[in-house]
């Protein structure tokens, strides 16, 4: 084993960064044996240097992250500060000064992953980011290495623990959205501003990364259709239960049947209770992968938190350090397929539509005619009058598979009917 240590610079020392530093210290001997050389924490860049950080030598702490990554003697930079800037500039500078990079920055990788991979390749360095998608769950490496000889057709997953906790609470207790969100905040699962989670921004970034790797195609964040979950109601869960389903916020990446295009989307969806993802509870994540040869695979575990995310970071760090010692690099970007990324309007799936209609004869026939005129086939219909006798009824229509564009046209036409008082909810049905 080489005695001269490999030097690691840590950018960020919050929940994840501090845990990375702790594991590097407490597991130092094991890590050295696995790598073939000891690791040395050479510097820690932070915004607030006065904060006490247990287990970290204060002399290593600096506010000058740029100077740290420019030192020239750094072997690996671990970036866990998040955001676009200064993370992007710091990672680029690290490559230019000879360091490889391990990152957990999903937003940056979803937006500028191709450019960062290009700089890494130009300088012969690694860019690893297992922690960017699903915390401790090994997912990136299986997709780009273990399944490298296979053809992945679909990636369907729960990739945000906050949203899964909220929806699971609504499903299991009958709580409303706001009540479940308040509990998630109190327990520390949701941030003070939960927008990135509940509006699907976090999951959309992860979907872009997963789609790019799975389909060997550049998929940017802007390519991902995104729909939040704030409009999901207790009534939606009641309808889902009537269908033998539950509701999850899903990241879905699919290859078209003709193989010439892909789609990536994030939205709430009903999913059959028989599907493995339906049983994922609390703040856990799970990703279901479908491929030609391997068939159906499911990856499950904690998708966030200091220790789980640090586990993924350390796994990448070991791999990158091994490459460093061997004078090699691991897999870079694979975008040779260059498939077209289709818009949401082309996506074909089933739909659950709940309508408020006039409670009188002929309404169902009018509604069915609108669906037929737009080429949307109906699977089932359920209608029941209101107990308050206000002359209105609820009509629930479940379609066969239809494109998003045709369903949109159908709903627009339904709103013009005098007998349709309103569209209570529209939800996709996935996972069949």
């Amino acid at each position: 084993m080489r005695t001269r240590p490999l030097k690691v610079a840590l950018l960020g020392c919050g929940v994840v960064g501090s845990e990375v530093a702790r594991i590097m210290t407490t597991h130092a001997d094991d890590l050295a044996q696995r790598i073939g050389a000891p690791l040395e924490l050479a510097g820690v860049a932070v915004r607030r240097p006065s904060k006490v950080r247990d287990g970290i030598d204060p002399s290593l702490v600096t506010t000058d992250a740029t100077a740290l990554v420019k030192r020239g003697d750094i072997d690996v930079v671990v970036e866990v500060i998040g955001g676009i800037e200064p993370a992007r500039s710091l990672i680029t500078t690290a490559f230019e000064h000879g360091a490889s990079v391990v990152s957990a920055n999903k937003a940056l990788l979803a937006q500028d992953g191709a450019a960062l991979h290009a700089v890494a390749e130009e300088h012969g360095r690694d860019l690893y980011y297992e922690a960017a998608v699903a915390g401790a769950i090994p997912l990136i490496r299986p997709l780009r290495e273990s399944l490298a000889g296979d053809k992945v057709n679909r990636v369907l997953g729960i990739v945000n623990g906050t949203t899964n906790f909220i929806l699971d609470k609504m499903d299991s207790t009958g709580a409303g959205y706001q009540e479940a969100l308040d509990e998630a905040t109190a327990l520390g699962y949701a941030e003070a501003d939960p927008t990135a989670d509940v509006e699907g921004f976090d999951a959309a970034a992860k979907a872009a990364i997963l789609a790019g790797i799975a389909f060997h195609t550049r998929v940017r964040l802007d390519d991902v259709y995104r729909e939040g979950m704030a409009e999901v109601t207790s009534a939606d869960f009641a309808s889902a239960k009537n269908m033998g389903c539950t509701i999850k916020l899903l990241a879905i990446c699919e290859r078209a049947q003709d193989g010439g295009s892909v789609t990536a989307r994030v939205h709430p969806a009903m999913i059959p209770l028989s599907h493995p993802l339906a049983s994922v509870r609390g703040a856990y994540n799970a990703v279901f992968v479908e491929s030609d040869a391997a068939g159906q695979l499911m990856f499950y575990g904690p998708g966030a938190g200091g220790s789980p995310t640090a586990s993924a970071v350390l796994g990448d760090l070991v791999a990158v350090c091994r490459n460093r010692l061997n004078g090699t690099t691991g897999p870079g970007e694979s975008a040779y397929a260059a498939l077209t990324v289709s818009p949401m309007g082309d996506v074909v799936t089933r739909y659950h539509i709940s309508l408020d209609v006039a409670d009188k004869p002929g309404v169902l026939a009018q509604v069915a005619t609108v669906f037929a005129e737009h080429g949307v086939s109906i699977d089932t219909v359920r209608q029941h009058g209101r107990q308050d006798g206000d002359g209105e009824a609820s009509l629930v229509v479940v379609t066969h598979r239809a494109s998003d564009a045709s369903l949109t046209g159908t709903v627009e036409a339904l709103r013009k009917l005098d007998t349709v008082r309103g569209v209570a909810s529209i939800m996709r049905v996935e996972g069949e």
Side-chain angles (χ1 to χ4, degrees), residues 133-138 158-159 161 280 283-286 299-305 307-309 311-312:
V133 172
I137 304 173
I158 299 164
V159 294
V280 178
Y284 276 72
N285 284 191
F299 301 83
Y300 169 85
S307 293
T309 306
S311 172

Side-chain angles (χ1 to χ4, degrees), residues 101-226:
V101 173
V102 172
S103 175
N105 196 330
K106 53 187 170 288
L108 177 58
L109 289 160
Q111 178 173 306
D112 291 317
L116 293 176
H117 272 294
V119 179
E121 183 177 0
E122 177 186 353
H123 295 280
R125 295 294 176 253
D126 277 320
L127 173 61
Y128 276 46
Y129 42 90
E130 184 69 65
V133 172
I137 304 173
L139 187 59
I140 300 296
R141 194 170 288 116
L143 280 174
R144 72 178 184 179
E145 296 182 33
S146 303
L147 295 175
D150 206 344
K151 179 184 177 183
V152 176
N153 296 309
R154 195 178 199 214
V155 180
L156 173 77
I158 299 164
V159 294
N160 183 279
T162 300
T163 56
N164 199 57
F165 177 89
I166 293 169
L167 292 173
D168 182 40
K169 185 62 62 174
M170 293 175 69
D171 185 25
S172 60
T173 69
Y177 168 76
Q178 190 59 51
E179 182 183 354
L181 173 58
D182 290 344
E183 182 173 350
T185 304
L187 293 173
Y189 292 129
E191 301 287 345
D193 179 0
T195 302
D197 294 324
V198 300
E199 292 300 327
F201 291 101
D202 175 85
K206 296 170 182 177
I209 295 170
L210 289 174
I213 296 171
F215 306 132
H216 304 279
T217 293
R218 287 179 179 170
V219 180
R220 289 172 50 88
L221 181 58
D222 292 345
D223 295 321
V224 181
Y225 172 84
R226 177 194 56 79

Side-chain angles (χ1 to χ4, degrees), residues 400-411:
H400 287 291
R401 292 176 65 83
S403 72
D404 187 82
S406 62
L407 196 282
T408 299
T410 302
V411 172

Side-chain angles (χ1 to χ4, degrees), residues 205-267:
K206 296 170 182 177
I209 295 170
L210 289 174
I213 296 171
F215 306 132
H216 304 279
T217 293
R218 287 179 179 170
V219 180
R220 289 172 50 88
L221 181 58
D222 292 345
D223 295 321
V224 181
Y225 172 84
R226 177 194 56 79
E227 185 180 315
M229 50 170 273
E231 301 302 318
V232 177
T233 66
S234 299
D236 291 327
F237 274 100
S239 293
K241 288 181 180 179
N242 286 332
M243 292 178 57
C245 295
T246 187
I247 299 172
K248 300 291 186 182
L249 185 76
L250 298 177
I252 305 169
C253 311
E254 291 181 308
R255 185 192 299 268
Q257 288 189 347
D258 64 8
S261 63
V262 298
T263 58
R265 51 198 165 101
V266 169
H267 53 72

Side-chain angles (χ1 to χ4, degrees), residues 1-2 27-39 318 325:
M1 184 173 71
R2 193 179 86 169
H27 295 178
D29 292 340
D30 284 339
L31 291 172
Q33 291 295 327
R34 294 167 191 173
I35 293 169
L39 294 179
V318 168
L325 288 178

